[in-house]
Amino acid sequence: MAELAELEDPKTRVVNEKHGDDHGVNLSKLRALAKRLKTQQELASRLWEMDDTAARLLAILICRPKAFERDELDVMLRQARTPKVHDWLVNYVVKKNPHSEELRRAWSADPDPVVASAGWALTTERVAKKPEGLDLAGLLDVIEAEMKDAPDRLQWALNHCLAQIGIEHAEYRTRAIDIGERLEVLKDYPTSPGCTSPFAPIWITEMVRRQHDK
């Protein structure tokens, strides 16, 4: 914890806090520290219990993802209230855990929109990498009904899933683009030069174009 405190930078904290993350540690330096520590599951558990964002990010980097039980991950996700901890926990730990599919189904239907967003992030991963068994038409029905009025984090996750379905599955592409055009979610999102807009119709069209250009 003392070493993490030494890595704290006020300017980094100001930038991070704009995104809802309450820490000021440069992530490259945090990764370097994790690389030095290597995998240490017990230390990771103790760091997580500190209820400190930088400590939890470090815990995620040095833990053993497959070591967690289903209920442990459910509790951890509900404790992970800053966006970066939430995203890293889902992407670096839950996706590599044997309980990920069970958690995906449970979280997607959770009344807490932040928890539900994790379920949809796992669904998006399956749409891209393991779509067998998924009801893609049914997913589009849910997205069409819920995305427009969903809270920010859940809306972003639903939109990502919509785009992924359109990008990866040509038979649903027209419908995915149509849903995006009608709902207009993230249509006016500010996009830096050279970056692709998160507005689903633009995102889908651009990614499909790139695939064809390869």
Side-chain angles (χ1 to χ4, degrees):
M1 291 303 294
E3 197 163 344
L4 284 172
E6 287 177 9
L7 295 176
E8 177 82 17
D9 175 63
K11 290 180 182 176
T12 303
R13 178 175 281 273
V14 170
V15 173
N16 287 338
E17 285 183 344
K18 290 179 181 176
H19 303 290
D21 289 310
D22 57 350
H23 76 93
V25 177
N26 178 286
L27 295 181
S28 295
K29 292 179 179 178
L30 190 77
R31 291 180 187 279
L33 176 56
K35 192 173 181 180
R36 196 184 82 219
L37 291 170
K38 298 187 171 66
T39 302
Q40 296 191 47
Q41 182 67 12
E42 186 180 344
L43 176 58
S45 296
R46 289 169 63 195
L47 284 167
W48 185 271
E49 289 167 5
M50 302 303 292
D51 194 15
D52 173 85
T53 294
R56 285 184 166 175
L57 291 173
L58 181 60
I60 289 166
L61 293 175
I62 66 170
C63 76
R64 191 176 294 109
K66 293 179 181 177
F68 294 102
E69 296 297 329
R70 178 206 181 283
D71 290 349
E72 281 183 282
L73 290 174
D74 185 68
V75 170
M76 289 168 73
L77 186 84
R78 294 171 196 279
Q79 293 171 336
R81 279 305 170 189
T82 63
K84 187 66 72 177
V85 173
H86 176 100
D87 291 342
W88 279 23
L89 182 66
V90 172
N91 287 297
Y92 297 169
V93 181
V94 180
K95 284 181 181 179
K96 299 175 183 177
N97 184 274
H99 300 289
S100 62
E101 177 58 21
E102 187 183 348
L103 288 168
R104 180 189 75 79
R105 291 196 298 267
W107 288 345
S108 296
D110 198 277
D112 183 330
V114 176
V115 174
S117 73
W120 280 92
L122 294 171
T123 299
T124 301
E125 175 90 349
R126 271 205 61 187
V127 166
K129 296 184 177 178
K130 194 181 176 184
E132 297 79 22
L134 282 180
D135 177 8
L136 296 177
L139 291 176
L140 289 175
D141 289 343
V142 175
I143 292 167
E144 188 171 13
E146 298 182 7
M147 185 170 74
K148 182 76 172 177
D149 299 316
D152 286 353
R153 299 210 55 175
L154 178 56
Q155 185 182 70
W156 192 272
L158 290 166
N159 184 71
H160 190 179
C161 191
L162 173 67
Q164 204 70 54
I165 292 172
I167 292 163
E168 301 288 344
H169 302 279
E171 66 273 31
Y172 294 104
R173 189 167 296 148
T174 300
R175 185 181 173 200
I177 290 172
D178 177 63
I179 290 170
E181 286 176 342
R182 281 188 290 106
L183 299 186
E184 298 188 337
V185 168
L186 300 175
K187 184 176 183 179
D188 299 320
Y189 191 84
T191 306
S192 302
C195 295
T196 303
S197 168
F199 179 48
I202 294 175
W203 190 356
I204 293 166
T205 303
E206 174 60 17
M207 296 309 291
V208 171
R209 184 191 66 76
R210 290 184 196 179
Q211 290 172 356
H212 288 164
D213 287 349
K214 284 183 179 177

